[in-house]
Amino acid sequence: MEKKNIKVIDCKVEVKKKNELSKLADIFFKEDLISVKDHILKEVIFPSIKKALAESGKTAIDMIFYGETRSNSKRYSNRYKTYDDYYNANENTVVTSDRKNNFSGYVYSCDDIIFKSRTAAEDVLSELLNIIAGYNLVTVSEYYGIVNQPTRYTDERYGWTNLDNARVVRVRDGYMIKLPRPLPID
């Protein structure tokens, strides 16, 4: 693996170990809420709105041309879901969903780094983004190295390939970089 040129940012930080409740909340809520919201919007609400608009349009056209609404025998034909789409007949295999199940029983958790100034937190986030731009990956170990904090051997095995949703937020004791959950690195 190529040695990365990492700039250490001289800043005052406080490392906050996560308690068990925080770790549990990270496991279940952090990114799952975003995916649940997207699923509900794309798979439930938008199709329902489209169907309601289409049915309203059909009813309006029937009223214009026939003076009354015509009964539609196909209206209730979608009552049962067929799962033919999930089966690939050419290869005799079941097509799996796009969502990966990465749960292996062990959930890695990154400690919260509290910065005394917003500028320092933004500088560290900028450096993380620069590393990703140059190497397509930044590890938790490199994150800790930027803020001159000790690392564990497992910190080399987890990291990020995309920090587009990372942001600096105000917390009680200063500022923190809200990062997505670090993923295992192959």
Side-chain angles (χ1 to χ4, degrees):
M1 188 157 119
E2 181 181 342
K3 177 81 171 141
K4 297 178 185 176
N5 186 16
I6 298 172
K7 178 177 143 187
V8 176
I9 310 266
D10 186 28
C11 57
K12 291 185 168 120
V13 298
E14 175 186 331
V15 178
K16 235 179 170 173
K17 300 282 185 192
K18 291 187 178 182
N19 62 28
E20 297 304 316
L21 188 60
S22 278
K23 289 179 185 178
L24 192 63
D26 281 350
I27 292 169
F28 291 109
F29 298 116
K30 197 175 210 176
E31 294 167 5
D32 289 340
L33 286 178
I34 295 168
S35 64
V36 167
K37 177 195 70 149
D38 289 345
H39 174 74
I40 289 173
L41 282 174
K42 292 177 184 173
E43 303 294 330
V44 177
I45 294 176
F46 290 152
S48 297
I49 291 171
K50 286 200 275 188
K51 186 175 182 181
L53 289 174
E55 298 240 353
S56 297
K58 288 176 190 173
T59 303
I61 290 172
D62 283 347
M63 292 289 284
I64 291 170
F65 287 115
Y66 303 110
E68 61 184 42
T69 59
R70 300 177 71 188
S71 67
N72 188 354
S73 62
K74 293 182 180 180
R75 181 172 285 170
Y76 298 106
S77 66
N78 281 339
R79 185 176 287 186
Y80 299 104
K81 172 79 172 146
T82 64
Y83 291 94
D84 295 339
D85 297 341
Y86 297 106
Y87 186 77
N88 185 347
N90 294 337
E91 297 178 19
N92 292 332
T93 59
V94 176
V95 178
T96 59
S97 104
D98 291 340
R99 187 174 177 175
K100 294 179 183 175
N101 184 1
N102 288 333
F103 189 73
S104 64
Y106 173 74
V107 178
Y108 177 83
S109 181
C110 181
D111 293 331
D112 291 333
I113 307 284
I114 309 298
F115 297 87
K116 298 301 176 192
S117 75
R118 182 176 192 89
T119 305
E122 288 172 346
D123 289 346
V124 169
L125 179 57
S126 177
E127 182 62 19
L128 292 171
L129 293 169
N130 287 339
I131 293 170
I132 289 177
Y135 300 96
N136 297 322
L137 171 75
V138 64
T139 65
V140 175
S141 178
E142 291 162 344
Y143 171 45
Y144 289 160
I146 292 170
V147 293
N148 207 16
Q149 293 298 308
T151 63
R152 302 173 301 222
Y153 74 96
T154 53
D155 296 339
E156 282 291 329
R157 296 177 154 174
Y158 292 86
W160 305 272
T161 57
N162 183 338
L163 290 177
D164 290 344
N165 292 330
R167 64 191 188 286
V168 175
V169 295
R170 177 87 169 115
V171 293
R172 184 183 339 168
D173 300 327
Y175 296 89
M176 184 174 93
I177 303 173
K178 273 291 204 194
L179 296 164
R181 183 181 309 152
L183 299 174
I185 297 170
D186 295 331

